[in-house]
Amino acid sequence: MQAYSLIAPAKINLYLEIIGDRPDGYHELAMILQSIDLADRIDLRPNGTDQIRVHCDDPEVPTDSSNLAYKAAALMTEQFAEVYRKFGGVDISIAKRIPMGAGLAGGSADAAAVLVGMDLMWKLGLTLIELQELAARLGSDIPFCVSGGTAIATGRGEQLAALPSVDFLYAVLAKHRSLGISTPWAYKTYRQQFSSSYVTDRDSLLERRQRVHSGDIVAAIGQRDGHKIGQCLHNDLEKVVLPAHPQVEQLRQILGQFETLGVMMSGSGSTVFALVESQAQANQVQQQLQAALPDPDLGIWTTRLSAHGIQLAH
Ligand code: C5P
């Protein structure tokens, strides 16, 4: 059986609107998710044992059953128990490039790569829809990580509608390395503070869900209008994360002073990104930020928006 190496891209949220509560305890969302070139690399190798073993070059990443990549492999062994009995377990090596606790779906991307890779390794021939159904059981943004690109995500985040690619744009990502933000905390705090504004009846929910499809940012993406996309960036979770984390607020303010298309926090943070038109502009913003905030704890990455989800590494 063959070994496989996969590229697992991070994502940013160009748009994140919280619509209401769901009976399953999650939130009803309307998002626009965007893959970026910043990616982990996942190597999968059959190990001839009955075990799933995770290795990572970053000692801060847990390698036990709490790792989403492990959970993805465990789900495959449960779902395809006979194949697993025949072929045995897998070694998963993660080259970690996507920062953690960042709102960039790093763990989700790794899990998506394990699903895609084990499908190939075990020659299961799963369809994209079958892979995304498995992905949704592991986490709300993992189905998107499988297919990637640019997409509207509604429901929990798992209902996807592909949009035209905006891979002509670039982003500068900035994050205090020591500051990770818990996604459950961000949503729980949002519920505590804003649930009075939640949509509760089904018609309003469907109307709000539909509104994003015909909204300004989707039109701007269709028109390949980077300036308009930058003006339409939105993230409801900023309302709880920025007041609680002055470092994120400061990053957002400083990036907002530079010449960019727009600035926004990604997911539940702590990454703030600036959308820009070229690699040259990204480099310039990176230098300006380094000069304005010379903090060794500050990580800055420049990246291009990507049209791809999980891919085989060459
Ligand atoms: O699905 P996932 O495990 O990635 O979600 C992490 C957490 O984010 C959930 O436990 C929940 O607190 C919150 N969440 C939510 N509504 C969503 C997606 C995530 O409340 N649609």
Side-chain angles (χ1 to χ4, degrees):
M1 234 188 329
Q2 210 181 320
Y4 283 91
S5 297
L6 302 112
I7 303 295
K11 63 89 179 138
I12 53 175
N13 297 73
L14 299 178
Y15 189 88
L16 192 165
E17 180 186 343
I18 300 176
I19 298 176
D21 265 324
R22 292 166 54 93
D24 59 11
Y26 282 76
H27 282 89
E28 195 67 36
L29 304 176
M31 300 188 285
I32 298 186
L33 301 175
Q34 174 64 55
S35 302
I36 56 178
D37 272 351
L38 178 67
D40 291 345
R41 182 188 163 114
I42 310 292
D43 290 308
L44 295 180
R45 188 174 296 279
N47 62 19
T49 77
D50 61 356
Q51 287 172 38
I52 299 162
R53 297 188 296 227
V54 178
H55 314 267
C56 185
D57 59 357
D58 180 342
E60 287 188 23
V61 174
T63 54
D64 61 9
S65 61
S66 69
N67 188 306
L68 266 177
Y70 183 103
K71 288 184 183 171
L75 177 64
M76 292 299 271
T77 62
E78 284 160 31
Q79 287 297 302
F80 304 100
E82 267 185 39
V83 187
Y84 168 49
R85 269 195 293 276
K86 190 164 145 204
F87 291 136
V90 59
D91 278 359
I92 304 168
S93 294
I94 305 172
K96 197 82 203 143
R97 300 295 169 268
I98 308 170
M100 288 182 295
L104 299 174
S108 296
D110 298 349
V114 169
L115 296 179
V116 171
M118 286 182 73
D119 171 51
L120 293 170
M121 204 170 78
W122 284 353
K123 301 197 186 330
L124 299 171
L126 298 176
T127 63
L128 178 60
I129 289 173
E130 287 168 333
L131 280 168
Q132 288 180 322
E133 276 171 7
L134 289 170
R137 294 200 219 167
L138 296 164
S140 305
D141 51 13
I142 305 180
F144 169 77
C145 291
V146 172
S147 50
T150 309
I152 298 175
T154 52
R156 262 170 68 207
E158 87 291 11
Q159 290 178 28
L160 301 171
L163 290 172
S165 175
V166 287
D167 61 356
F168 54 95
L169 294 175
Y170 294 75
V172 182
L173 316 178
K175 175 188 184 293
H176 286 96
R177 293 179 198 274
S178 61
L179 177 63
I181 294 177
S182 147
T183 304
W185 168 85
Y187 279 102
K188 193 179 75 192
T189 310
Y190 192 91
R191 182 182 282 125
Q192 282 163 1
Q193 294 184 17
F194 297 104
S195 62
S196 60
S197 67
Y198 282 8
V199 159
T200 49
D201 67 291
R202 193 175 153 72
D203 285 349
S204 314
L205 190 145
L206 291 177
E207 192 257 304
R208 285 279 289 278
R209 199 191 271 177
Q210 201 47 41
R211 207 194 287 168
V212 67
H213 285 263
S214 52
D216 289 346
I217 187 161
V218 170
I221 289 168
Q223 292 155 3
R224 298 172 64 84
D225 185 339
H227 287 272
K228 202 165 148 205
I229 295 169
Q231 285 161 14
C232 294
L233 298 175
H234 176 82
N235 184 347
D236 274 337
L237 288 175
E238 284 199 338
K239 292 179 208 160
V240 291
V241 174
L242 298 189
H245 295 286
Q247 282 179 305
V248 183
E249 166 87 62
Q250 183 195 34
L251 264 183
R252 203 179 173 321
Q253 268 179 5
I254 294 175
L255 276 170
Q257 290 164 11
F258 306 145
E259 199 182 313
T260 68
L261 299 172
V263 175
M264 192 56 51
M265 184 178 81
S266 184
S268 54
S270 61
T271 302
V272 176
F273 67 91
L275 212 55
V276 293
E277 282 179 293
S278 64
Q279 182 66 55
Q281 198 184 3
N283 295 342
Q284 192 186 352
V285 169
Q286 179 174 30
Q287 283 168 15
Q288 285 174 310
L289 182 58
Q290 263 158 357
L293 206 57
D295 179 348
D297 189 40
L298 182 66
I300 311 177
W301 299 259
T302 64
T303 185
R304 186 174 173 152
L305 307 197
S306 165
H308 304 292
I310 304 303
Q311 287 195 298
L312 285 173
H314 297 299

